[in-house]
Amino acid sequence: MRVDDSKIVPTFELEAAELSLAGGPIVGIDEAGRGPWAGPVVAAAVVLDPDRIPQGINDSKALDADERERLFDRITATAVAVGVGIGNVERIERDNILAATLWAMAEAVSGLSCRPRLALVDGNRAPRLKCTTRTIVKGDAKCLSIAAASIIAKVTRDRMMIALARELPGYGFERHKGYGTPEHRDALVRLGLSVHHRRSWKPVQLALGLIEAEAS
């Protein structure tokens, strides 16, 4: 019988086994913001302290905003090391979103105060790092270190989008965080593109009527 994905919770089992076999540090890596129409892609790298893991860590998508904020503070207060990398819109437009994401992940790891022995990366593609890497599909729902990184990345990016909303009122960044919503589409039609929009993206061009939707 297939286990419902919603009932899967991340554990520290993989990290504990690796620590027992080969030692650490072990870093979890995840990103936030690959899909939005506007704003950066943000990656985070977290090395958890096995003796001080905050209760309640989960995939950031399974938590509400208040829970993410609370856990962000607890993770940053107790983790061995936390790093963040930010791929801005210029980099996304120039290199493509995958390349910008992998670059941001590498930047997050380079910002750590320790050099990891092993990196556990959410998804099926890993950045080039000076350590062993292992990709884990749906890793943020399986691995506590990756889940912790997902929270750091999500909260960091949400805070950035809220700041952009103050800089550029009217787009609703504080609510949709740059993702494609009817409100965002209407704002694009009304206000046009900002410098923070991914202007080469097909959904953005469709929303502005710059290209026509393909016939089904």
Side-chain angles (χ1 to χ4, degrees):
M1 187 174 78
R2 184 169 178 250
V3 177
D4 185 345
D5 284 349
S6 67
K7 295 181 180 178
I8 297 174
V9 293
T11 72
F12 200 68
E13 291 178 4
L14 175 57
E15 294 96 321
E18 285 287 345
L19 287 169
S20 176
L21 288 170
I26 297 172
V27 63
I29 305 172
D30 201 1
E31 54 73 29
R34 286 189 64 172
W37 296 357
V41 60
V42 176
V46 176
V47 179
L48 290 173
D49 181 340
D51 298 319
R52 302 179 68 200
I53 299 176
Q55 293 292 317
I57 292 177
N58 203 340
D59 173 4
S60 63
K61 297 184 291 296
L63 303 169
D64 64 30
D66 288 341
E67 289 175 312
R68 288 194 297 265
E69 286 283 347
R70 178 183 65 81
L71 285 164
F72 179 97
D73 291 340
R74 293 290 297 137
I75 292 166
T76 54
T78 61
V80 173
V82 175
V84 171
I86 299 169
N88 61 23
V89 171
E90 291 79 8
R91 182 175 292 276
I92 293 169
E93 293 282 78
R94 186 189 70 211
D95 298 342
N96 73 50
I97 186 60
L98 175 60
T101 299
L102 296 177
W103 179 88
M105 287 179 169
E107 283 292 292
V109 173
S110 72
L112 294 171
S113 58
C114 60
R115 181 173 176 175
R117 176 189 66 80
L118 172 66
L120 304 174
V121 185
D122 184 56
N124 59 9
R125 298 289 295 272
R128 292 182 179 180
L129 301 174
K130 295 179 180 179
C131 68
T132 301
T133 60
R134 185 181 303 176
T135 58
I136 304 175
V137 175
K138 294 186 178 180
D140 47 8
K142 300 173 183 177
C143 172
L144 272 180
S145 296
I146 296 176
S150 79
I151 292 168
I152 298 298
K154 173 65 173 168
V155 172
T156 299
R157 187 179 188 280
D158 282 357
R159 290 176 178 178
M160 293 178 72
M161 296 308 294
I162 291 169
L164 283 183
R166 291 192 289 268
E167 177 187 325
L168 296 170
Y171 287 101
F173 289 146
E174 72 277 16
R175 290 182 292 278
H176 53 66
K177 308 302 190 293
Y179 283 85
T181 65
E183 178 191 11
H184 195 177
R185 184 180 296 107
D186 291 344
L188 274 176
V189 172
R190 188 176 69 254
L191 301 172
L193 290 168
S194 76
V195 295
H196 301 290
H197 279 94
R198 303 173 186 181
R199 59 188 60 228
S200 67
W201 281 41
K202 186 175 180 179
V204 174
Q205 295 185 358
L206 281 170
L208 289 170
L210 298 177
I211 59 174
E212 295 183 359
E214 295 177 1
S216 58

